Amino acid sequence: MASRPRQPEAPRAWQRMLSGRRLDLLEPSPLDVEIEDIAHGLARVARWNGQTHGAHAFSVAQHCVVVEQLMGEFYPDTDPRWRLAALLHDASEYVIGDMISPFKAALGLDYKAFEARLMEAVHVRFGLPAHLPDKVETRIKRADKASAFFEATVLAGFDDGEAAKFFGRPRGLEASTVSALQKLTPQSAEQAGATFMKKFAQLRI
């Protein structure tokens, strides 16, 4: 009697983190999400596909810290938990990396659904609602675009008009903030990760 052919094993759909957690990528559990893994990963993920000036890549971790700071300046009355949401707004990229917007659009709804599931797990893990209120999402998006404008013009080779077309020209920032962002300098992965963790600790108090 001929033996049955062996069924191929299902492809691995989890990632082992340095914390020891195994994160199921298809059904991520909040219990397997650790902030140290997020900080470590985001500090090593380059914004702009690495096409930035400086000795180091401009990391997603550093970007997230800038976005949280900008949200606080745009909206000083923001509850700390929503500022935490701003800090974590790109947390899914510790697993899936940072894809530039045109590529996300090309991948379509499947990518967005995958990203949404990861973000839901992150939110629940850190005491946030799985789905943020629309008002909070809008505020984070404003801060995100403002950060992108300065990253684009200072680090990624965009001229002012081109960056304004894609991201809008930020309004309502203090002159000192604008001056600081015009000197934006990529941090090392170690520094970016440590800064991210320090901000997280401040917002979780």
Side-chain angles (χ1 to χ4, degrees):
M1 179 183 294
S3 61
R4 290 183 179 181
R6 293 182 61 185
Q7 295 296 318
E9 292 185 12
R12 179 168 63 91
W14 53 266
Q15 179 175 344
R16 183 178 297 282
M17 302 297 173
L18 289 181
S19 65
R21 296 289 189 184
R22 291 203 327 183
L23 183 68
D24 187 321
L25 304 182
L26 301 180
E27 296 293 338
S29 168
L31 297 176
D32 292 324
V33 175
E34 298 291 350
I35 193 61
E36 293 82 4
D37 293 330
I38 292 174
H40 182 88
L42 296 186
R44 288 159 175 76
V45 176
R47 293 267 291 169
W48 308 97
N49 278 348
Q51 297 299 306
T52 50
H53 298 291
H56 304 284
F58 186 78
S59 72
V60 175
Q62 188 174 356
H63 163 76
C64 288
V65 171
V66 173
V67 169
E68 186 278 330
Q69 292 170 342
L70 287 171
M71 187 170 175
E73 182 159 335
F74 283 137
Y75 308 102
D77 62 339
T78 299
D79 187 294
R81 66 176 176 157
W82 303 138
R83 292 184 65 162
L84 176 61
L87 182 71
L88 296 171
H89 79 282
D90 278 340
S92 62
E93 295 178 8
Y94 89 109
V95 175
I96 59 180
D98 180 46
M99 294 187 182
I100 59 175
S101 295
F103 194 38
K104 287 183 180 181
L107 290 176
L109 294 176
D110 286 345
Y111 171 85
K112 292 179 181 178
F114 181 60
E115 184 178 37
R117 284 196 296 272
L118 282 168
M119 286 306 302
E120 288 170 14
V122 170
H123 287 160
V124 172
R125 172 65 177 85
F126 300 114
L128 298 169
H131 303 282
L132 300 178
D134 290 344
K135 181 179 179 180
V136 174
E137 292 277 17
T138 299
R139 289 184 170 192
I140 293 174
K141 181 57 67 177
R142 180 186 179 189
D144 189 31
K145 286 187 174 181
S147 181
F149 175 87
F150 287 105
E151 294 168 34
T153 53
V154 176
L155 300 173
F158 286 61
D159 63 38
D160 185 87
E162 188 178 23
K165 175 182 176 183
F166 290 116
F167 310 112
R169 185 172 283 105
R171 308 289 186 189
L173 294 173
E174 296 288 341
S176 59
T177 301
V178 173
S179 178
L181 289 171
Q182 288 173 339
K183 301 180 181 70
L184 199 58
T185 303
Q187 299 172 332
S188 68
E190 290 74 15
Q191 185 180 4
T195 303
F196 183 95
M197 285 296 297
K198 181 178 179 180
K199 177 57 65 176
F200 174 84
Q202 291 171 349
L203 293 170
R204 287 279 283 178
I205 291 175

